[in-house]
Amino acid sequence: MRNTRALAVAGAAVAALGLSAPAAVAWDRPSNIVVLPSVIARGGQLTITADGCRNGGTATSTAFSPTRLSPVGGGGGKGNEGDRGGAGSGTARGTATVNSDARPGPYDITVTCDGGSLTKPQAFTVIGGVRGGIGGSSTTGATPTDVAIGGGLVAAAVVGGGVFWMRRRAERNI
């Protein structure tokens, strides 16, 4: 009878230890990646947040240079982090600037921290950017097409104004 109880207690202890060990190891690896905004123009800035990176890490993508993720301050964090002696809340954050020559389309992000890595496929989408300050135009000055269209509109306005003026003048003579 005593052997059965001792065996049951030992089995429960081993099961509890076995179930908690993977959770403790998983804490030191990235578990979630959040990228804001999810749609961005070339040259824009992304905020990258990774859970499970209590000591910080690095975010990489083909759309931007490797970016350092710093631990987000604050104790307590998730679960029983105080028992593990964590440095912060288990979350790291950083800001990346999308390359000005990045091609439009979806991009993956890989976060590496504490020896582990996690890739989030299609984490954000780059759209074709515009050159601010010049009305979205990527050329300088008016093109020959612009001049032809503008000249045609001015000529139509002059002819229309002349016809209107001549008709009004003819009506006064009646």
Side-chain angles (χ1 to χ4, degrees):
M1 183 82 149
R2 285 184 181 177
N3 289 341
T4 307
R5 284 185 195 166
L7 187 57
V9 169
V14 168
L17 182 63
L19 291 175
S20 66
V25 171
W27 185 262
D28 291 337
R29 300 188 186 277
S31 59
N32 186 33
I33 301 171
V34 178
V35 181
L36 293 175
S38 61
V39 177
I40 190 163
R42 292 176 256 181
Q45 289 189 329
L46 293 169
T47 300
I48 304 163
T49 305
D51 294 336
C53 292
R54 60 186 172 148
N55 296 321
T58 304
T60 57
S61 175
T62 56
F64 56 81
S65 301
T67 302
R68 175 84 180 125
L69 303 179
S70 301
V72 176
K78 298 178 183 174
N80 60 353
E81 182 192 354
D83 297 340
R84 290 191 309 274
S89 66
T91 301
R93 183 174 296 137
T95 303
T97 302
V98 176
N99 296 334
S100 59
D101 61 348
R103 292 181 183 258
Y107 285 89
D108 301 346
I109 287 184
T110 300
V111 171
T112 304
C113 59
D114 297 324
S117 66
L118 176 68
T119 299
K120 182 173 185 178
Q122 299 183 356
F124 66 98
T125 302
V126 173
I127 58 175
V130 297
R131 292 169 117 188
I134 57 172
S137 174
S138 60
T139 61
T140 57
T143 64
T145 304
D146 295 335
V147 173
I149 291 171
L153 290 173
V154 168
V158 167
V159 169
V163 169
F164 179 75
W165 181 64
M166 294 296 284
R167 289 195 66 188
R168 294 282 290 172
R169 188 171 171 212
E171 287 176 5
R172 279 190 233 156
N173 292 340
I174 296 178

